Amino acid sequence: MLLSSRVKGIHDSITMKLNEKSQQLNDEGKVIYNLSGGQLPIKPLPEFVEKIHHQLNFLKSYQYSPSSGFLPLRKKLIKHLAESRDLSMDLLEGSWDCILSNGSKHSIYNALGALIDPGDEVILLAPYWVSYPEMVKFWGGIPNVVKSNVFDAFVPAIEDLHKVMTPRTKAIIVNSPNNPSGVHYSESWMREFCLFLKQYPDLVVISDEVYSEISYFDPKPSYFYQYDNSLLSRTVIIQAISKSLASTGLRLGYAMAPKGVISAMSRIQGQTTSGANSLIQRALMDFDLKYVEPFLVPVRNHIRLNAAFLREKFREANLGHCWYQSTSAFYFMLDFSRTPMFKRFSPDEDHSYEISDELLNNEGVAVVPGVDFGIPNTARIALVIEEIPFQEALTKIVRYLNRT
Ligand code: PLP
């Protein structure tokens, strides 16, 4: 059957593919250290699960919600945004709305669909989440990438943003804390970003904040619109329960933005999925978000410990030049390009697939090739598995990196 040219341009999700391959090797009896995961390996907090149980009793939990989601929940999430970002409700009440979607990936699709015309350019900051370029292309947009490197802890320089601006630049996606680098951009970066935005009054910002609650290194993440409230009028904020409530499979995410954008997104959603999962929306509506903070304390401590082990291991193995301080989310970008092992490869091409394959086949460690995050010759590792297997996996990685 002849497929559409649109779908031919879309790549498979590499993380999904890798999980399949690791599972297959596991089934063949091999010990696999899976550092490729993008989710917390724990169950959601009991208070939330209890609310889901409770909502099972009601007819409405099984019926369509309004396309944008239940209104009390949308209001609650906007209020929560105002409280958690220290914004006055006056800035949002009446002018902002929220839309619940089937995961925040879906919210980002809807936002791009509402904003992008074919040929419009969208700035992505590499390393970026693998799905951004695919989503931009799906709507006919053109990704315009600004790179960063390990020496700057993968934080892009604002001056480089000016260089990619063209009359067709419509939006920029900022993801802090960042998947895959595991860092969040500092207050000074955000302040400088405000000044940059002031020079381009038509540029829209999609601020993907799905990891905002998972940071284990002070100061905590903050956002440009907190330093200049006027920028809220061209900001779309993306949030989810996937990471902070350890609920990736429940598929509930949301976007908050000025009303006009949300109503456009709602039109797209109304003609595609009709709306998000009613049961989970109702459970979230009933759930006290104050429980999230204590739930995440041991999670952060665990990631911090694994990150500290990584630092020590790299220092001991003379790989200090591959290290930077990760601060948030639950990832770290391994830069292969200056390790002894890399002498076998030519530096002018990308070998991240080859190297990740070797790591999986020879050492039993699954990582995600970094080229799909926009940085060649790197890989993403997740810092979430249990301490002992994490340490064993890192010992194997370090041995591999130092082998010529
Ligand atoms: N944004 C970022 C940066 C992510 O890493 C992910 C998932 O890994 C998502 C959005 C989408 O999450 P979900 O669709 O589960 O809400």
Side-chain angles (χ1 to χ4, degrees):
M1 221 181 280
L2 209 56
L3 299 176
S4 72
S5 45
R6 181 186 295 111
V7 81
K8 282 185 202 147
I10 296 179
H11 296 137
D12 273 337
S13 165
I14 175 70
T15 34
M16 299 284 178
K17 261 179 139 175
L18 261 160
N19 271 329
E20 273 168 35
K21 182 158 181 193
S22 307
Q23 192 55 52
Q24 183 197 331
L25 288 170
N26 228 336
D27 294 345
E28 288 167 15
K30 288 201 174 143
V31 177
I32 298 296
Y33 297 90
N34 192 346
L35 304 191
S36 73
Q39 55 193 344
L40 293 171
I42 51 171
K43 282 218 252 173
L45 59 178
E47 290 82 357
F48 183 46
V49 176
E50 198 268 315
K51 295 294 178 194
I52 298 173
H53 270 284
H54 178 67
Q55 289 300 333
L56 288 170
N57 299 319
F58 300 97
L59 172 66
K60 277 199 159 184
S61 303
Y62 302 91
Q63 297 189 317
Y64 293 123
S65 72
S67 170
S68 304
F70 292 112
L71 190 58
L73 176 59
R74 283 151 51 199
K75 287 192 168 162
K76 170 179 164 155
L77 294 173
I78 293 208
K79 187 158 173 276
H80 182 67
L81 171 75
E83 283 165 6
S84 58
R85 302 285 184 269
D86 243 341
L87 300 171
S88 152
M89 256 318 263
D90 293 346
L91 292 166
L92 307 175
E93 205 160 30
S95 57
W96 267 48
D97 199 352
C98 169
I99 180 169
L100 280 302
S101 310
N102 307 85
S104 63
K105 185 183 258 183
H106 183 215
S107 293
I108 304 170
Y109 256 108
N110 287 338
L112 289 168
L115 294 166
I116 301 302
D117 274 324
D120 283 349
E121 293 172 15
V122 179
I123 301 180
L124 304 180
L125 308 179
Y128 45 70
W129 183 41
V130 279
S131 294
Y132 296 150
E134 303 307 312
M135 296 197 258
V136 169
K137 286 188 278 177
F138 182 84
W139 290 109
I142 301 167
N144 218 341
V145 175
V146 171
K147 291 206 173 190
S148 61
N149 59 57
V150 63
F151 303 113
D152 296 324
F154 293 110
V155 177
I158 301 282
E159 66 199 47
D160 291 343
L161 304 188
H162 291 284
K163 296 178 194 157
V164 296
M165 285 299 297
T166 77
R168 285 308 303 258
T169 311
K170 179 68 195 267
I172 175 167
I173 305 183
V174 176
N175 171 220
S176 174
N178 180 272
N179 174 7
S181 70
V183 298
H184 54 274
Y185 305 153
S186 65
E187 172 177 341
S188 66
W189 191 96
M190 288 292 173
R191 286 186 183 277
E192 224 191 305
F193 185 55
C194 288
L195 299 179
F196 163 79
L197 289 172
K198 286 298 209 193
Q199 293 184 46
Y200 305 98
D202 297 327
L203 188 65
V204 175
V205 190
I206 298 178
S207 183
D208 181 344
E209 304 177 6
V210 301
Y211 296 96
S212 62
E213 278 154 306
I214 305 183
S215 82
Y216 52 90
F217 213 86
D218 283 341
K220 303 225 168 319
S222 64
Y223 295 93
F224 55 96
Y225 52 78
Q226 294 175 274
Y227 305 115
D228 183 341
N229 295 161
S230 72
L231 297 169
L232 282 166
S233 65
R234 47 179 162 133
T235 299
V236 178
I237 296 174
I238 304 294
Q239 268 293 4
I241 64 166
S242 286
K243 313 293 170 172
S244 54
L245 269 75
S247 302
T248 46
L250 297 182
R251 307 310 302 131
L252 193 65
Y254 51 103
M256 295 165 289
K259 274 184 168 167
V261 185
I262 298 295
S263 104
M265 291 169 68
S266 179
R267 289 205 293 278
I268 298 173
Q269 185 155 291
Q271 299 295 3
T272 48
T273 62
S274 294
N277 185 323
S278 292
L279 172 70
I280 305 303
Q281 281 192 65
R282 285 169 58 85
L284 190 62
M285 197 153 71
D286 211 15
F287 169 69
D288 193 336
L289 292 164
K290 76 167 190 246
Y291 289 114
V292 175
E293 180 54 32
F295 170 67
L296 289 176
V297 170
V299 172
R300 294 187 193 116
N301 288 342
H302 170 63
I303 302 168
R304 190 186 300 111
L305 273 181
N306 278 354
F309 181 81
L310 185 144
R311 180 189 61 213
E312 281 315 301
K313 200 76 193 161
F314 273 28
R315 198 180 49 77
E316 274 169 21
N318 286 326
L319 293 167
H321 51 283
C322 300
W323 180 81
Y324 60 93
Q325 181 62 62
S326 57
T327 58
S328 45
F330 33 77
Y331 310 105
F332 184 88
M333 278 293 261
L334 271 180
D335 183 346
F336 298 123
S337 60
R338 280 167 214 86
T339 62
M341 165 284 295
F342 198 71
K343 293 200 176 76
R344 288 188 283 126
F345 298 93
S346 71
D348 306 330
E349 293 162 36
D350 175 65
H351 304 279
S352 50
Y353 270 80
E354 233 172 308
I355 294 172
S356 302
D357 236 32
E358 276 189 11
L359 259 171
L360 182 56
N361 294 328
N362 303 351
E363 305 289 341
V365 182
V367 298
V368 188
V371 69
D372 290 323
F373 299 101
I375 310 281
N377 296 314
T378 58
R380 184 191 78 179
I381 63 171
L383 305 176
V384 287
I385 66 167
E386 294 286 323
E387 225 168 303
I388 301 296
F390 182 77
Q391 296 182 358
E392 289 171 0
L394 259 208
T395 304
K396 283 168 175 286
I397 290 177
V398 159
R399 187 175 64 194
Y400 171 81
L401 295 180
N402 270 337
R403 199 180 292 141
T404 44

